[in-house]
Amino acid sequence: MMALYIDINRLLLRKVKDLRCLTQIRNRVKEKWAATRPKHPPTRVALQHFDATYTAQLGQLWPSVRIALLSERKYGALINNFSQDAGFADLEAQGCRDFISFRDGEAGSSFEHIDANSQQPFPLHLSQNIRCFVFPKGDTTRFKPAKPDQFGLLCYYLMDAASVLPCLALDVQEGHTVLDLCAAPGGKTLALLQTHMIGYLCINDSSVSRTLRLKKVLQSYVPKQFLADDRLRITSFDGTKWGEIESNTFDRVLVDVPCTTDRHSLMEDDNNIFSKSRTVQAACPGGEILYSTCTLSLNQNLNVVEQGIYLAEKNHDIRLQVVSLQHLTKMFRNTFHFAPDLHLGEMVIPHLTANFGPIYLCKLRRLN
Ligand SMILES: C[S@@+](CC[C@H](N)C(=O)[O-])C[C@H]1O[C@@H](n2cnc3c(N)ncnc32)[C@H](O)[C@@H]1O
């Protein structure tokens, strides 16, 4: 009996010791947390903000978009035509296809080629030279890192495949003068360069450090002699002042503005270049402007475009016409999920089976 009593006592003592130890550890951890962890991590604040805003905006769609946003995103491999070894065979052997020249079949994840002869009349001249490989719907295989060719140029650039849509929608034609106003780190610039149609390209980003990053990206994908060509210019101007710098110049202007970048969102809602409306002055009369963001936010998308149209007329007497992009969404509806019923522009919304986007795009034509 005595032995049992001693054993229980020992056990209790050990428990108390363990508990003390635990408390100490917990306290230590608590102290560390208090010192290093912010009370409200920006990601949680962003999620709360999105829950409030996007429930109202997207309604029943929000839970599926939310889970996709919180899951691993999907990439596309933009083929680098400047590379000697584009690596198609390798990509095809892995089961991916160029989503621009191939269209998903109705049944599941197989791909079906669009016959050039049977294609419906298409008001855009989709550049045959832009190619972006994606894995089929529901397939979350990751791409291998791109390999360099004998000159050190990488064979593909990994980016959100939906980011190629603004470049396709821009509809660059032979000899066009093009301004890429917010270009860094350069994914869309690279896509535009793949067209091999641009007569003159101005690549701009107001951030000097990001412009340096963009130059490095270009050096990894574009031959030196091409980068040194007079038909290409890299600048670091504030795009909101472009109308004062150079107006009535460009056939095409890509305005891929800074936004809350929903997937990594930490920023404020009010930093938007297009609301200044001077950007539209950069386009020549008849020229086209493609506004794009990577946010679902109504404020940063439709509202900005509406305000841009209003201010362009009010302040600069410039009339802008919205160009429909519905044919583009029809063409690629089996690769991307598009938001239904937007009255202005189109939007790719993330979905677990095709986790691209968000990408909003709206095209405007300058009438006078
Ligand atoms: C969404 S990112 C552009 C992404 C780029 N188009 C791509 O495809 O890789 C927005 C860019 O706008 C730039 N930016 C912000 N304010 C600007 C301004 N006032 N004028 C020009 N660029 C600006 C930022 O430095 C940032 O690199």
Side-chain angles (χ1 to χ4, degrees), residues 181-188 205-207 210 237-239 256-258 273:
L181 194 71
C182 308
K188 296 188 188 70
D205 196 286
S206 63
S207 157
R210 285 176 67 87
F237 295 128
D238 175 355
D256 187 32
V257 298
I273 208 174

Side-chain angles (χ1 to χ4, degrees), residues 157 159 163 167 180-190 204-208 210-211 214 236-242 254-259 261 271-273 276 292-294:
Y157 180 82
M159 64 196 287
S163 292
C167 305
D180 187 356
L181 194 71
C182 308
K188 296 188 188 70
T189 314
L190 271 182
N204 180 71
D205 196 286
S206 63
S207 157
V208 174
R210 285 176 67 87
T211 306
L214 173 133
S236 270
F237 295 128
D238 175 355
T240 61
K241 306 215 163 77
W242 203 277
L254 178 61
V255 192
D256 187 32
V257 298
C259 62
T261 319
N271 179 18
N272 205 300
I273 208 174
K276 309 277 189 265
S292 64
T293 74
C294 47

Side-chain angles (χ1 to χ4, degrees), residues 141-318:
T141 311
R142 290 180 189 160
F143 286 99
K144 295 178 191 157
K147 288 186 197 144
D149 68 3
Q150 51 179 316
F151 303 106
L153 299 179
L154 294 171
C155 58
Y156 53 72
Y157 180 82
L158 294 182
M159 64 196 287
D160 189 321
S163 292
V164 175
L165 295 180
C167 305
L168 292 172
L170 195 63
D171 190 19
V172 173
Q173 290 169 41
E174 197 63 52
H176 267 167
T177 51
V178 180
L179 168 62
D180 187 356
L181 194 71
C182 308
K188 296 188 188 70
T189 314
L190 271 182
L192 292 174
L193 284 170
Q194 301 308 318
T195 61
H196 288 284
M197 286 173 131
I198 300 179
Y200 177 76
L201 175 64
C202 181
I203 305 164
N204 180 71
D205 196 286
S206 63
S207 157
V208 174
S209 60
R210 285 176 67 87
T211 306
L212 282 175
R213 197 172 142 206
L214 173 133
K215 282 183 181 165
K216 283 203 176 116
V217 170
L218 292 181
Q219 280 158 9
S220 304
Y221 287 87
V222 183
K224 274 193 192 111
Q225 62 274 24
F226 197 96
L227 289 178
D229 197 294
D230 284 350
R231 286 169 297 174
L232 204 135
R233 186 174 60 157
I234 302 179
T235 56
S236 270
F237 295 128
D238 175 355
T240 61
K241 306 215 163 77
W242 203 277
E244 294 160 24
I245 300 167
E246 204 172 28
S247 52
N248 306 329
T249 307
F250 294 95
D251 297 303
R252 297 289 185 266
V253 182
L254 178 61
V255 192
D256 187 32
V257 298
C259 62
T260 48
T261 319
D262 287 359
R263 280 195 188 265
H264 314 280
S265 183
L266 306 171
M267 287 156 67
E268 288 289 311
D269 263 15
D270 58 359
N271 179 18
N272 205 300
I273 208 174
F274 204 72
S275 54
K276 309 277 189 265
S277 83
R278 288 207 191 109
T279 300
V280 299
Q281 287 178 284
C284 60
E288 293 179 344
I289 301 139
L290 199 294
Y291 174 84
S292 64
T293 74
C294 47
T295 175
L296 297 161
S297 160
L298 200 69
N299 278 340
Q300 296 171 72
N301 295 335
L302 286 80
N303 293 356
V304 168
V305 173
E306 271 171 350
Q307 198 196 17
I309 295 173
Y310 169 74
L311 289 178
E313 175 136 28
K314 182 170 170 261
N315 296 341
H316 309 289
D317 210 16
I318 292 175

Side-chain angles (χ1 to χ4, degrees), residues 331-352:
M331 187 165 236
F332 299 123
R333 67 180 167 214
N334 290 329
T335 301
F336 304 104
H337 279 257
F338 290 97
D341 311 326
L342 282 194
H343 73 272
L344 206 56
E346 302 291 345
M347 185 156 67
V348 174
I349 53 173
H351 190 277
L352 276 183

